């Protein structure tokens, strides 16, 4: 993937990117990366973040993995309330041990469609606080060529695009075998008397049906196993236990909020 010299017709909205611009030496030759110990503040409002299928294993240890919309896009659910991320904080810090999706780690770089050229080009979020002319790590060298740092970021974006396409194929496999079903995450509150109250719906989402999965022919399951799809499916299913963790963290923070406001 090469950097471009012209703006072109960039299309598509991308979560977290406020001012995406095609990366080029004329406009961005003096920019550099600003080193921050806590660089993820831009994602603090990311309630649900896209995941690639190869991330299902490590991500399943941190939060639920769901499928959303008609496209059944895989998402890491990182909060229960809109605009809330329970694992990435406003100051850019993260919870210890939490898995940070590649979608977040590639920022402020991204690939975007250039309709004029009929290809994908490298862009940066020009509005990012991680980029500045006072940045310590330049994007371009004195000759106007991408630095090693920039080349590594471009490769990361290229690799992410490969994984995104692999994810599309994985989702299509699940669609072709009619494995999706609408699922519900529920929470049972406890009353003042210590007795369980009426269950409350926390979220509705698409997930793999264990019943449909178990009903597949043995040969089809062997195909899933050989391709690695079966392991990813089980990682998704195991991750759904994470709804309880999200609920517990949310309740804890809500109980602490009044005390914090009094201080």
């Amino acid at each position: 993937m090469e950097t471009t010299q012209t703006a072109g017709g960039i299309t598509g909205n991308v979560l977290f990117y406020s001012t995406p611009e095609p990366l080029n030496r004329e406009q961005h030759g003096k920019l550099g990366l600003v080193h921050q110990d806590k660089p993820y503040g831009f994602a603090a409002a990311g309630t649900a973040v896209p995941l690639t299928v190869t991330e299902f294993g490590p991500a399943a240890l941190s939060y639920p993995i769901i499928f959303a919309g008609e496209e059944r896009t895989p998402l890491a659910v990182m909060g229960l309330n809109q605009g809330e991320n329970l694992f990435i904080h406003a100051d850019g810090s993260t919870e210890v041990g939490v898995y940070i999706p590649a979608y977040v780690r590639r920022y402020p770089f991204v690939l975007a469609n250039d309709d004029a050229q009929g290809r994908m080009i490298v862009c940066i979020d020009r509005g990012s606080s991680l980029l500045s002319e006072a940045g310590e790590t330049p994007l371009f060298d004195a000759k106007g060529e991408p630095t090693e740092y920039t080349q590594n970021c471009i490769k990361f974006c290229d690799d992410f695009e490969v994984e995104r396409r692999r994810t599309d194929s994985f989702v299509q496999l699940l669609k072709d075998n009619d494995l999706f079903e609408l699922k519900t995450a529920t929470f049972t509150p406890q009353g003042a008397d210590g007795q369980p109250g009426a269950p409350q719906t926390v979220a509705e989402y698409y997930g793999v049906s264990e019943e449909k999965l178990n009903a597949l022919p043995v040969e089809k399951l062997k195909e899933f196993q050989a391709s690695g799809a079966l392991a990813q499916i089980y990682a998704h299913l195991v991750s759904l236990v994470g709804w309880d963790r999200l609920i517990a963290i949310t309740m804890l923070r809500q109980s602490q909020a009044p005390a914090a406001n009094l201080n």
Side-chain angles (χ1 to χ4, degrees), residues 116-216:
Q117 300 293 327
R119 59 181 180 140
M120 299 195 79
I121 58 175
V122 180
C123 295
I124 57 171
D125 185 0
R126 188 61 184 86
S128 172
S129 63
L130 294 172
L131 296 174
S132 167
E133 291 190 2
E136 296 89 342
T137 302
L139 300 188
F140 294 90
D141 61 23
K143 297 180 181 179
E145 298 299 322
T147 60
E148 181 179 2
Y149 163 75
T150 301
Q151 292 176 37
N152 288 338
C153 290
I154 293 173
K155 184 180 185 305
F156 191 95
C157 286
D158 285 342
D159 292 344
F160 183 89
E161 179 62 18
V162 171
E163 293 302 325
R164 188 192 65 77
R165 291 174 182 173
R166 182 176 288 124
T167 302
D168 288 345
S169 297
F170 171 77
V171 170
Q172 190 60 51
L173 180 68
L174 300 185
K175 287 182 178 180
D176 291 345
N177 287 274
D178 189 29
L179 292 180
F180 285 114
E181 69 175 357
L182 192 63
K183 293 175 176 278
T184 303
T186 59
F187 163 61
T188 303
Q190 191 175 65
D193 58 359
Q195 297 300 310
Q200 299 178 5
T201 297
V202 173
E204 290 187 339
Y205 60 94
Y206 289 103
V208 172
S209 164
E210 291 187 72
E211 183 179 354
K212 291 181 178 181
L213 179 65
N214 293 333
L216 288 177

Side-chain angles (χ1 to χ4, degrees), residues 64 80 185-187 239-251:
L80 293 184
T186 59
F187 163 61
S239 79
L240 300 181
V241 178
W243 284 112
D244 291 339
R245 183 184 183 194
L246 291 186
I247 293 168
I249 295 173
T250 300
M251 291 183 62

Side-chain angles (χ1 to χ4, degrees), residues 16-36:
F16 302 141
Y17 295 77
S18 62
T19 317
E21 295 180 357
L23 179 63
N24 66 85
R25 60 179 63 92
E26 281 76 16
Q27 289 179 278
H28 310 129
K30 296 181 180 180
L31 287 181
L33 176 73
V34 178
H35 291 187
Q36 296 181 7

Side-chain angles (χ1 to χ4, degrees), residues 39-76:
Y40 297 124
F42 65 89
T47 305
V49 178
L51 274 183
T52 61
V53 66
T54 50
E55 297 181 277
F56 279 22
L61 300 175
S62 296
Y63 29 66
I65 300 168
I66 67 170
F67 298 84
E70 289 299 319
E71 298 300 318
R72 304 295 190 263
T73 303
L75 298 175

